[in-house]
Amino acid sequence: MNIDFSPEELAFQQEVRSWFAENLPAELKRKTELGIMLSKDELVVWQRILNAQGWLVTGWPKEYGGPDWTPTQRYIFDMERARANAPIGLSMGIIMLGPVLMAYGTQEQKDYYLPRIRNCEDWWCQGYSEPGAGSDLASLKTMAVSDGDDYIVNGSKIWTTYGHWANRIFCLVRTSTEGKKQEGISFLLIDMDTPGLEVRPIVSIDGEHHLNETFFTDVRVPKKNLVGKEGQGWTVAKYLLTHERTTIAGVADSKVHMANLKRMARENGANGEPLMNDPSLRQKLAKAEINLLALEYTNLRTLAATAAGKAPGPESSLLKLDGTAVQQQLSELGVELSGQYAWPWKADDGVGPDEFAATTMRYAFTRAATIYGGSDEVQKNVIAKMVLGLNFK
Amino acid sequence: MNIDFSPEELAFQQEVRSWFAENLPAELKRKTELGIMLSKDELVVWQRILNAQGWLVTGWPKEYGGPDWTPTQRYIFDMERARANAPIGLSMGIIMLGPVLMAYGTQEQKDYYLPRIRNCEDWWCQGYSEPGAGSDLASLKTMAVSDGDDYIVNGSKIWTTYGHWANRIFCLVRTSTEGKKQEGISFLLIDMDTPGLEVRPIVSIDGEHHLNETFFTDVRVPKKNLVGKEGQGWTVAKYLLTHERTTIAGVADSKVHMANLKRMARENGANGEPLMNDPSLRQKLAKAEINLLALEYTNLRTLAATAAGKAPGPESSLLKLDGTAVQQQLSELGVELSGQYAWPWKADDGVGPDEFAATTMRYAFTRAATIYGGSDEVQKNVIAKMVLGLNFK
Amino acid sequence: MHFNLSDEQKLIRNAVDKFIRNDYSFDARKKVLALENGFSPEHWRQFADMGWLGIPFSEDQGGLGGGVVDIVQVMEAFGTGMVLEPYLSAIVLAGGLIARGGSAAQQEALLPALIGGEKLLAVAYTERESRFNPADVQTRAEKSGDGYLISGEKAVVLGAPTADALIVSARTGGGRLDTQGISLFLVDSKAPGVEITGYRTMDGGCAGNVRLNKVQVGADALIGGEGAGFALLDEAVDHATVAACADALGAMQSAMRKTVEYLKTRKQFGVPIGSFQALQHRAVDLFTAVEACRSMVLMASLKVTDKDPVARRMAVSAAKQFVGEKARLVAQQAVQMHGGIGMTEELDIGHYFRRLTMFCAQFGTTDYHLKRYADLMAAAA
Amino acid sequence: MHFNLSDEQKLIRNAVDKFIRNDYSFDARKKVLALENGFSPEHWRQFADMGWLGIPFSEDQGGLGGGVVDIVQVMEAFGTGMVLEPYLSAIVLAGGLIARGGSAAQQEALLPALIGGEKLLAVAYTERESRFNPADVQTRAEKSGDGYLISGEKAVVLGAPTADALIVSARTGGGRLDTQGISLFLVDSKAPGVEITGYRTMDGGCAGNVRLNKVQVGADALIGGEGAGFALLDEAVDHATVAACADALGAMQSAMRKTVEYLKTRKQFGVPIGSFQALQHRAVDLFTAVEACRSMVLMASLKVTDKDPVARRMAVSAAKQFVGEKARLVAQQAVQMHGGIGMTEELDIGHYFRRLTMFCAQFGTTDYHLKRYADLMAAAA
């Protein structure tokens, strides 16, 4: 057993660390550290800086412009990215659609879309969930009816994250109502400016506009925008779930969050003493740090297995469960540390210490972590059935 | 609203308190306070002292020798009993069988058995559970087959608490396998010395012998020992569940337990200071006391409703859930306070401070609180269906 | 012993319930949210007309002569509707303080206008690093002529932007954390040297930071004796804490009920999600939590008037600790069981979440009150 | 970075697993439980023959030269079988202390017999009110001629009744809680003035109280420098704590697996109880707890050898805190999900419960280690 990185990996870590120190704009760093939401423009500028360095599409193979890193390098990069307080990027195109196109796209689709994702010319959003479906994704109802060389799409999608920023959406649509419900689903690329497509904002519990509902009324989509075969949509979508995910636990960002919380506790006082001097608060911080340490080592175990070429198992469910629990615990601690400054809502700067300004919004929004991307309940069902064999018919 | 007892109730409280101070044997008090198991002889002696005062069968009406107290008086008595560190008594006959006989027994049964219970001539145990049944009580299999004036009983019962001390057992047996499984059940009184009846000990997780398995091989029981009609056993058994239960939460004993834990924390030290000086331990004790306070007021609400003649609702499930949670929390704290003295197992006196001697055994045995008498899971199913209406077919 | 409401208490409760049902639906509330400071003058007039603003005040003072139980009834009903108007800060906290500790002249000058809905008050006692400890006061009041000059900063004062006058705690003696040497002053919000920066709070109400720069007040501005303000303030905050717990109870009860309803109607995988046992048991956890909180609010409403300050503080801290812990559970699980829709502003669940989250940090966090209770418990031994 | 076992480590693990399977079934273990002190001389001889008693010792010392990872493999496997023999107290704790801090002469005198299974050691460091703090020492050692006279009482010393010699901590200087001034002495269990009161522990092992009444030892009984024993003792306890965590991991894993099996086979209401979602999700909680504990044992086994004592202490306390908390969860829920049968001595589940409960109070409770970690974390800032 050996926990150390190799000399080459350590050199890589140093290179990445220096690069972030020199290239991350100060304002982006400040906002990320305080948990303040970034604008689309800020993100695009930043992603183009990363892309110029060749470090945007870190999970893509060399032939599509990726850096061809090992899983360990990607892990190190993510740690350094978070450590630098650099934004994680909201990259549905990079993380979700890119790999799908590489695996299932036509040559034409790959040639056209992949460079546009890399260069941030396209901003993609995801159209999976529907109002009636929730965790039961396969029961989706948005219909795509064949009409010559096109499909006519009718229906609606919900929870389209940053759909109001996007110029394109990848959707799961129903092309058939025959057979098992999974079998009639297809994967379709749609331009957001197609007539009949409308985006309506959903304001979240943190008072911000991250989410949307997207309505399709006789939206005409060329059949060449189909990814994979008709009826293969479920397989295509599931491909991503079994895809290697060494960062799903969010360890890198949680470590930075933890460090920020400890700094808050040292630099802010109550009743004449630093908050850190309060034994119960100190022990709460310690408990969070210990939980995070356990998560980090589970993550390292998964990484070591992945690096050794082992197929990913149920780890992603486990990492997601424990990872989101840590995120929620940390965001609760942020509120706890803020004291009475938890009350002001989206107040201008200067109401209280800057680092307390966004803690409550972060807490509120982090409740989503155990709902989206497969809720806690769904993850537990998966582990119960797939891992523990508690599967009865 | 008014939380105060009336002047009459306060006078009653004083009377009971003085009586316990004068009449509780010192050795019984000591053992109860330390959580040490009592022998049957000790209990019988004590119950006879209570009976001589007319305070043993406190829930029974006057005609059967009860003191004819109001629910509030019974509550006060129970509080004082616990406060005096007097044993609660293991009175299956008093609490369980007595009320059943009063409601369903023949005159002959009442005349014969009730005085014998009151005078501690009989020690009853309960034969409900079976090895295969668990929470699914109605699936019991012990058969009673009619044979002239008798039944011939075959089968086995498990978890017969203090069955090895008992001379009689009241059982649910199957007299018919037709129709709904609840309908073929009858309630039968059996002498423990009947040929074919065998009791085998089950040692519990605390290393003590509280429980037994009871085997019936062609045990001949006169039909006059049937309580209620043949096939009415399920109704008879359920009668007790809807019976008023203002002490099911165990508030009185938990309050005394709490007081003992606080004394332990004041009188024992670590690293040169009383344990009570440790902020986290102090806060753990405080949290337990706060939980207990909530329980006490829920109990008082139930008591007030009962005293006002309102029919008992789902309170007993709620009181059992929260009451056992408090008992388990307190027993955990006992182990916590014991430090390294949690390790010795049934060690003789003098190994460490006396009050730590039985904390671990108590912790272990208190795990049963959420299993027996309707497990936590069963209580939650009941509330979900009966109270919240989460009942789907 | 009985826990029944009097006929008068029932009348009040029914009236407030009716108001919530008819005039404070979730959609109606959205309109109040959009108003400046989340405050509707019409509602406030309505409260005055109904007599609700006079509940905590004696008949001598022009009020209804209600007790804590009456206030708890109003607050619990307000909690179910997430009422935004500053009943808690202006009536229960500030008004209660004046009613218990103000001089006859002060009561005469303030209470009729407060009860009539013409004036609003707020209590400015927290400071930037005082957290929830009312004894941590750095704002100073120096003798100046017949009166005092007050200088300092108060942070996150509930209801400050709508208040016509503030009750300000300031040191006339003692060190930073001493309970002795704290005096309470009545300060006009528009007095020279008073600067209020207002903002909205997470539950939709308002609060503000108050800067006091050599604010001159007369000797008659002093509430209670000089240097003896802590006992009054501490008692007033304890009373307000019980009222806040009642509000939280109402909000929890509503969030719990709405969640159970959602479990019955929302279908996934072809069945109502309420048929899943894991969700059923969690719903039961919420139900038992709400019932236990009801017991704690009852307990605190009976004990907050205890003449022994230690008994009062322990009862209030026990209630706040317990209800705070359960409020967090209910808020989080109501959102979780609603899934995505629970994360939006469109549904009331997200607003209950924020109301309850705000409650958790009001008048002392759950941990603050656990520590307060534990320290008193250990000392009482 | 890799977390693979070496071939040698795999061999050891397989051998111990095989021993548990063949020679330490639940029924076989019952026979050991019935023996005096829960100790089987045959097993101990077998351990010696297999070389397991020599794992933590260098080849120079006559051992196998294994590291923490090797010990963790043995302990985890022992945990699955709830092995009663005093490997933890005699080999890991006492043996490890001698191997790291004993003089060449002491190692030569003690280790061959220890490795050969002929002698047993125990470390007597806790006192009646020291709880888990190895610096809290009131036992005193006074200079006497060439050697020392030791007087005092040691409480709940793991493995004391079976030990041939004890390593005793005693003050040669400093005040009650000082880390300076603590010395370690080797004391023969049969030396005049040594009185051991033995008893069984809740997991079936044994411990004892040790009274030392003017026990004379020579200068050569001193382990490490005079007054410098704390660092050695603290490190030895940290190593033993990691081993105890590994043992708990094995026990938790077994309890979890057996519970999942029970859920599959036990039927109620006509279906396997494992089809109830509430139990399924709780089983998942146990599974994720065990996996996370595996990560923590891995972490601690890599960091306990850190040269920086602060890094070592934090890693060990993090592991003990975390594994302790999860051990309690697994123990309680394994019993709960088994229902009545889980409450009996007849089934292994109750024994896992006691083993894990004992673990929670070993070498410092969960709270003790949370405090230790938190204080170091705050100081390290």
Side-chain angles (χ1 to χ4, degrees), chain D residues 160-179:
Chain D
T162 51
D164 299 285
L166 303 166
I167 298 167
V168 174
S169 62
R171 285 223 162 268
T172 45
R176 174 165 172 189
L177 296 171
D178 291 344
T179 53

Side-chain angles (χ1 to χ4, degrees), chain A residues 36 206 208 341-354 356-358 360-361, chain C residues 156 197-202 207-209:
Chain A
I36 297 171
D206 63 345
E208 293 282 359
Y341 290 106
W343 306 357
W345 189 242
K346 297 176 159 204
D348 289 336
D349 289 14
V351 159
D354 278 352
F356 295 156
T360 313
M361 288 167 68
Chain C
V156 204
T197 314
Y199 39 81
R200 301 294 288 273
T201 52
M202 73 176 306
N209 291 355

Side-chain angles (χ1 to χ4, degrees), chain A residues 300-357:
Chain A
L300 287 170
R301 284 168 57 206
T302 310
L303 178 65
T306 310
K310 290 200 186 119
E315 287 85 358
S316 72
S317 279
L318 197 150
L319 287 171
K320 189 191 180 245
L321 272 175
D322 289 353
T324 53
V326 165
Q327 287 158 30
Q328 293 187 337
Q329 185 182 16
L330 295 178
S331 75
E332 273 191 43
L333 268 170
V335 176
E336 186 83 29
L337 285 165
S338 305
Q340 72 269 38
Y341 290 106
W343 306 357
W345 189 242
K346 297 176 159 204
D348 289 336
D349 289 14
V351 159
D354 278 352
E355 60 265 42
F356 295 156

Side-chain angles (χ1 to χ4, degrees), chain A residues 53-100:
Chain A
Q53 172 72 4
W55 290 356
L56 179 61
V57 292
T58 61
W60 293 15
K62 206 171 189 79
E63 56 176 313
Y64 298 115
D68 215 23
W69 285 338
T70 63
T72 306
Q73 282 179 299
R74 291 210 295 281
Y75 181 84
I76 290 171
F77 177 81
D78 192 50
M79 285 286 164
E80 293 301 321
R81 193 265 315 145
R83 191 176 177 279
N85 281 303
I88 193 165
L90 296 148
S91 31
M92 286 290 181
I94 298 167
I95 291 180
M96 308 289 285
L97 183 63
V100 159

Side-chain angles (χ1 to χ4, degrees), chain A residues 133 203 332 337 343 370, chain C residues 131 202 268 328 336 343 345:
Chain A
V203 178
E332 273 191 43
L337 285 165
W343 306 357
T370 48
Chain C
R131 294 265 147 169
M202 73 176 306
Q268 295 229 302
R328 176 176 289 178
Q336 180 72 24
M343 281 296 299
E345 283 229 330

